[in-house]
């Protein structure tokens, strides 16, 4: 009886979370939950973790079983996304013995015994990029991606040693790439600051498209918090780098991140790529430009499943228009024969290969190579990257 009462309380709390979040859908769920718990300090740590898990799982099943009541939807989501759950045992007892089965078996059982249909989870199958397996991509949304870090040059052995000493498990993906369980509090480990960068594995792999050379002048045109810039500088510290973004606040975050990494040699400007860039840059030309273009973020929805149901499919075309405008703007500042690295964290063709086709049609650039990084196959984000050469 006590367990049943506790589960009922947790369900009611999730209902409250969902109701309040509905009023603030423009902020990430993670940030909303942080504020929610600050406003509800009476909640214990276990309840917070359970409510967070249930809320994230609720969003992971997207538009499936929309007509079911919240208890049933939560139980369906828990059954699919967890290996054990008292909520499933209480609400869907017939399914509970199979809660630890492989996902494929659980999907079959859900479709046989509930209103859940895999095809209802994600409404944009027809707009996926070529090379995306729609079924596998949707199934990846039910799994929390890993935490990936990049070890900074000269600190690889030290960081791995400290992780081992702290009892933190990790997988080695390359000489400087590690995968850790999501939620590991790395900032609590002393003496590691500035020796690693949190960066998704697919994001790290975009660095293979840079091919920069020391002494060159590069521009990270949508720098955000600076992840791609740091990746570039760690492999080519002697380049001359300009970072820009339209958001002042995020450039402050970049400054803090660069300071922690010990990087001081760079220029920074606020540049809106939808306006005349010559007003700020004049006729300045670069040996390479990184354009991590504003996009739907669909390749990261495993981390932000709240986007599955809140995303407006019509906005894909709006993102594509901004991407093309931004790309044309930066190409004007690219030296002939030099590369534009076009990147999105999207799985939609209109933001990826169709954008590249448009840029080639302008006659300004030619495609050297492009790749869809299928992060959904290994608990990472999915991204698209292309290297275009200025004619």
């Amino acid at each position: 009886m006590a367990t049943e009462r506790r589960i009922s309380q947790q369900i009611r709390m999730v209902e409250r979370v969902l109701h309040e979040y509905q009023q603030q859908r423009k902020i990430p769920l993670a940030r909303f939950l942080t504020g929610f718990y600050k406003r509800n300090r009476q909640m214990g740590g276990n309840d917070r973790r359970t409510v967070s898990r249930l809320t994230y799982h609720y969003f992971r099943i997207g538009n499936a079983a929309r007509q079911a009541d919240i208890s049933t939807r939560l139980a369906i989501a828990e059954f699919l996304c967890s290996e054990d759950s008292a909520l499933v045992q209480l609400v869907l007892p017939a399914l509970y013995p199979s809660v630890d089965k492989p996902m494929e078996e659980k999907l079959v059982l859900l479709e046989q015994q509930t209103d859940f249909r895999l095809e209802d989870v994600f409404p944009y199958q027809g707009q996926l990029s070529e090379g995306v397996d729609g079924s596998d991509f949707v199934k990846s949304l039910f799994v929390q991606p890993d935490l990936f870090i990049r070890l900074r040059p000269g600190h690889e052995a030290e960081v791995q040693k400290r992780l081992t000493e702290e009892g933190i498990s990790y997988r080695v993906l390359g000489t400087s790439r590690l995968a850790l369980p999501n939620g590991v509090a790395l900032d609590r480990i002393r003496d590691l600051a500035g020796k690693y960068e949190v960066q998704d594995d697919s994001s790290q792999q975009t660095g293979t498209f840079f091919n920069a050379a020391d002494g060159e002048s590069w521009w990270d045109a949508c720098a955000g918090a600076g992840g791609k810039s740091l990746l570039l500088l760690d492999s080519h510290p002697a380049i001359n780098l300009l970072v820009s973004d339209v958001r002042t606040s995020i450039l402050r975050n970049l400054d803090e991140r660069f300071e922690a990494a010990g990087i001081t040699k760079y220029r920074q400007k606020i540049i809106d790529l939808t306006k005349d860039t010559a007003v700020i840059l004049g006729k300045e030309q670069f040996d390479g430009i990184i354009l991590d273009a504003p996009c739907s973020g669909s390749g990261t929805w495993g981390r932000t499943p709240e986007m599955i149901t809140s995303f407006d499919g019509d906005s894909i075309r709006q993102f594509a228009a901004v991407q093309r405008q931004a790309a044309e703007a930066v190409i004007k500042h690219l030296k002939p024969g030099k590369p534009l690295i076009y990147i999105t964290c999207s799985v939609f063709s209109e933001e990826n290969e169709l954008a590249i086709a448009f840029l080639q049609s302008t006659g300004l650039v030619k495609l050297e190579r492009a790749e869809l990084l299928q992060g959904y196959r290994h608990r990472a984000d999915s991204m698209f990257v292309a290297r275009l050469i200025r004619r």
Side-chain angles (χ1 to χ4, degrees):
M1 182 65 69
T3 300
E4 184 174 343
R5 186 183 306 116
R6 189 176 186 84
I7 292 172
S8 296
Q9 291 172 345
Q10 291 168 345
I11 291 173
R12 287 197 299 271
M13 188 59 72
V14 172
E15 284 186 288
R16 184 179 162 192
V17 166
L18 295 173
H19 175 74
E20 292 189 20
Y21 182 63
Q22 193 65 36
Q23 315 305 315
Q24 304 181 50
R25 287 297 287 263
K26 291 187 178 181
I27 70 172
L29 178 59
R31 191 192 311 168
F32 168 81
L33 286 172
T34 298
F36 181 86
Y37 296 140
K38 286 182 179 179
R39 297 190 299 273
N40 295 273
R41 297 184 182 276
Q42 77 281 4
M43 294 180 65
N46 287 336
D47 282 337
R48 292 184 182 196
R49 285 188 288 272
T50 300
V51 168
S52 292
R53 187 189 75 244
L54 291 173
T55 303
Y56 270 91
H57 287 177
Y58 178 89
F59 283 118
R60 288 190 187 284
I61 64 172
N63 294 285
R66 296 294 292 180
Q67 303 308 312
D69 60 61
I70 188 170
S71 297
T72 303
R73 288 202 84 218
L74 285 171
I76 289 172
E78 276 280 273
F79 176 74
L80 190 56
C81 303
S82 300
E83 294 183 351
D84 196 9
S85 171
L87 191 152
V88 175
Q89 188 174 21
L90 177 66
V91 179
L92 296 174
L95 289 175
Y96 179 71
S98 301
V99 72
D100 60 348
K101 299 294 184 184
M103 183 181 294
E104 294 294 340
E105 292 185 34
K106 293 200 283 189
L107 286 169
V108 171
L109 289 170
L110 281 176
E111 296 203 346
Q112 288 175 344
Q113 300 185 36
T114 73
D115 292 333
F116 175 92
R117 299 293 179 270
L118 183 63
E119 63 191 29
D120 295 335
V121 173
F122 179 79
Y124 309 110
Q125 289 273 358
Q127 294 168 280
L128 292 174
S129 277
E130 182 179 354
V132 177
D133 184 305
S135 177
D136 285 352
F137 174 73
V138 172
K139 292 171 189 175
S140 75
L141 299 175
F142 307 140
V143 180
Q144 173 68 36
D146 285 334
L147 171 66
F148 295 93
I149 63 173
R150 179 174 59 83
L151 309 183
R152 302 201 63 223
H155 299 291
E156 295 87 350
E158 179 184 359
V159 174
Q160 291 188 55
K161 179 183 177 185
R162 290 291 289 118
L163 293 176
T164 300
E165 290 172 349
E166 294 292 327
I168 296 173
S169 62
Y170 60 87
R171 291 183 290 120
V172 178
L173 305 177
T175 56
S176 62
R177 294 158 45 219
L178 302 182
L180 291 77
N182 199 280
V184 173
L186 290 173
D187 56 343
R188 296 181 181 178
I189 303 177
R190 59 181 178 81
D191 302 328
L192 285 189
K195 298 175 182 177
Y196 70 91
E197 294 294 333
V198 175
Q199 187 171 26
D200 181 79
D201 191 52
S202 295
S203 182
Q204 294 183 50
Q205 292 182 54
T206 64
T208 63
F209 282 69
F210 296 167
N211 296 338
D214 288 344
E216 288 186 336
S217 175
W218 276 67
W219 175 23
D220 188 350
C222 289
K228 305 296 191 309
S229 289
L230 286 170
L231 183 64
L232 175 63
L233 287 169
D234 276 345
S235 58
H236 298 283
I239 67 166
N240 300 302
L241 179 66
L242 168 66
V243 296
S244 73
D245 203 283
V246 72
R247 300 161 294 178
T248 305
S249 60
I250 204 163
L251 285 176
R252 285 197 293 267
N253 293 337
L254 179 147
D255 286 336
E256 292 175 1
R257 194 173 180 185
F258 275 31
E259 182 180 2
I263 293 172
T264 58
K265 185 185 175 184
Y266 65 100
R267 292 186 297 146
Q268 182 199 103
K269 294 182 182 294
I270 297 173
I271 300 178
D272 185 344
L273 299 180
T274 65
K275 298 179 180 179
D276 183 9
T277 54
V279 172
I280 297 176
L281 292 177
K283 296 182 179 181
E284 185 170 1
Q285 299 279 290
F286 296 90
D287 296 297
I289 298 175
I290 300 171
L291 180 63
D292 196 349
C295 71
S296 62
S298 48
T300 70
W301 286 356
R303 300 186 192 278
T304 57
E306 66 271 21
M307 292 298 299
I308 301 171
T309 51
S310 66
F311 183 74
D312 180 0
D314 292 337
S315 64
I316 296 174
R317 185 164 298 177
Q318 297 170 16
F319 278 117
V322 171
Q323 291 153 4
R324 296 175 185 189
Q325 185 178 8
E328 287 189 287
V330 302
I331 286 171
K332 297 175 184 177
H333 297 279
L334 190 60
K335 295 176 183 178
K338 298 300 184 177
L340 166 66
I341 313 301
Y342 176 88
I343 303 170
T344 75
C345 49
S346 172
V347 291
F348 295 135
S349 60
E350 194 160 356
E351 299 183 276
N352 297 339
E353 60 264 31
L354 295 185
I356 298 306
F358 166 79
L359 292 176
Q360 290 185 92
S361 73
T362 66
L364 297 172
V365 292
K366 60 181 179 180
L367 177 64
E368 184 172 288
R369 67 186 180 109
E371 184 178 356
L372 180 74
L373 300 172
Q374 298 172 320
Y376 64 88
R377 295 194 182 280
H378 52 273
R379 299 174 71 108
D381 297 341
S382 294
M383 304 184 74
F384 177 85
V385 55
R387 181 179 168 92
L388 299 151
I389 305 299
R390 181 73 154 99
R391 291 185 182 276

